[in-house]
Amino acid sequence: NFKWVSLWGLPIRTMHWIATLGILTLAVTGLYIGKPYFVAGGDTSEHFLMGRVRFIHFTAAAVLVMTGIVRVYWLFAGNRYERWRALFPFTGKRLKDMARQVRSYVMIRPEEAPAYLGHNPLQQLSYTGLYLVVLVQVVSGFVMYGQAEPGGFFYTTLNWLVPLFGGLPVVRFVHHVFTWIFLLFIPIHIYLAVRADILEHNSTVSSMISGGRIVTEGRRFEDE
């Protein structure tokens, strides 16, 4: 016997896919801005390639910030699997379950992993870390954006952070390094999600599309 369990509301699922597209767009355009890997042919006066790439980059950044604002609101307005408590696995029980989850990954023993309906503690910690990475990217990105208009809103609001970073070159370096954190996280995230679907039969991938999971009736979960 099986039952349907609703986990992720439409706002969370929508934000997930919009943020995914936005991060990929930011990574591709950001790497080009940092070091253009091709240039348009012909008379350069007839082209505005870098300007278009920068516009796409800034637009994607604005969209990502807007999804972030909605996500912060949903940390308090969402269901029990979407709220802020589900992102901070720092109780004794959660830390023990995190160790069990790591051991099940390392030893390839999915049957030893703790059963969670929502995110397991390792996922909770990784997503919290990812939100912090996004925050650093947004702040450092807008610091650099403000340099184009000294005295403007972003320059006036955020330029005091430049000395704290250690100078504008360090801001740019941090922004670049954190881009690679995203690029490393994405394939690992996809691999672990697909792996969980195959080995643990827990509908992880499809739940971010359908919003829920089909589970065995009577099965016990740690976060019920």
Side-chain angles (χ1 to χ4, degrees):
N1 296 322
F2 299 93
K3 66 177 180 179
W4 168 264
V5 180
S6 179
L7 296 176
W8 318 119
L10 182 60
I12 283 289
R13 285 177 280 148
T14 302
M15 284 184 287
H16 176 273
W17 295 113
I18 291 177
T20 300
L21 180 60
I23 288 171
L24 289 174
T25 302
L26 286 165
V28 173
T29 55
L31 291 175
Y32 180 82
I33 293 170
K35 187 176 182 179
Y37 37 81
F38 67 87
V39 294
D43 188 352
T44 55
S45 64
E46 299 175 359
H47 301 285
F48 193 56
L49 179 59
M50 179 59 77
R52 293 190 181 94
V53 172
R54 284 167 57 87
F55 176 76
I56 294 172
H57 189 79
F58 299 151
T59 302
V63 172
L64 184 64
V65 169
M66 287 186 282
T67 61
I69 293 172
V70 176
R71 183 64 184 103
V72 170
Y73 169 74
W74 221 250
L75 289 176
F76 303 93
N79 63 40
R80 61 183 299 182
Y81 304 106
E82 302 167 338
R83 289 176 178 252
W84 66 270
R85 289 183 182 275
L87 293 175
F88 296 92
F90 299 122
T91 64
K93 177 67 168 61
R94 292 291 190 264
L95 292 174
K96 290 179 180 178
D97 285 345
M98 187 187 305
R100 290 172 57 198
Q101 187 70 50
V102 172
R103 186 167 60 248
S104 74
Y105 282 148
V106 174
M107 304 303 294
I108 317 180
R109 295 175 180 172
E111 68 280 359
E112 296 183 5
Y116 277 78
L117 277 171
H119 298 312
N120 66 56
L122 187 60
Q123 291 172 321
Q124 294 170 18
L125 185 62
S126 65
Y127 296 149
T128 301
L130 190 67
Y131 290 150
L132 294 176
V133 171
V134 170
L135 180 61
V136 172
Q137 285 292 78
V138 168
V139 171
S140 60
F142 279 119
V143 166
M144 292 187 291
Y145 181 79
Q147 302 304 308
E149 187 184 358
F153 173 78
F154 289 106
Y155 184 92
T156 304
T157 306
L158 298 173
N159 198 59
W160 60 273
L161 291 170
V162 173
L164 295 182
F165 273 95
L168 199 58
V170 179
V171 175
R172 182 183 181 278
F173 177 75
V174 170
H175 196 74
H176 180 80
V177 170
F178 274 48
T179 298
W180 283 102
I181 294 178
F182 280 124
L183 295 178
L184 290 173
F185 173 83
I186 291 172
I188 294 173
H189 174 62
I190 294 173
Y191 165 73
L192 291 178
V194 173
R195 175 191 181 279
D197 257 15
I198 295 175
L199 297 182
E200 301 173 25
H201 310 288
N202 62 6
S203 310
T204 299
V205 176
S206 59
S207 69
M208 196 46 68
I209 299 174
S210 64
R213 291 174 52 188
I214 298 176
V215 300
T216 305
E217 190 80 47
R219 184 183 180 188
R220 180 180 176 277
F221 294 91
E222 304 291 342
D223 54 346
E224 282 185 301

